[in-house]
Amino acid sequence: MFGTFVVETADVPEQVVIAEKRHTPADELPAWIGASLGRLDRGAAGAGDPVCGVAFPVRAE
């Protein structure tokens, strides 16, 4: 259902933020958000950073 995604990190003052971006139809969002959280957790762990906040989706147009 989903392809391979690249998890990227960016330095932000005082914190590191990781994100994943995709154009996704509304009916596919619940499954995609759930799957992306696991990928983002693994990306943070691979960078040596613990997840220390609550993940949240952002809708952008």
Side-chain angles (χ1 to χ4, degrees):
M1 177 179 208
F2 300 116
T4 301
F5 296 92
V6 176
V7 175
E8 298 179 21
T9 62
D11 288 325
V12 178
E14 304 294 325
Q15 62 187 337
V16 175
V17 176
I18 61 174
E20 211 175 88
K21 180 169 82 171
R22 176 179 182 197
H23 294 279
T24 306
D27 63 333
E28 294 179 18
L29 281 173
W32 185 80
I33 291 170
S36 70
L37 293 177
R39 291 189 294 271
L40 293 170
D41 283 344
R42 289 189 297 278
D49 295 317
V51 174
C52 59
V54 178
F56 59 93
V58 175
R59 180 179 180 262
E61 304 235 1

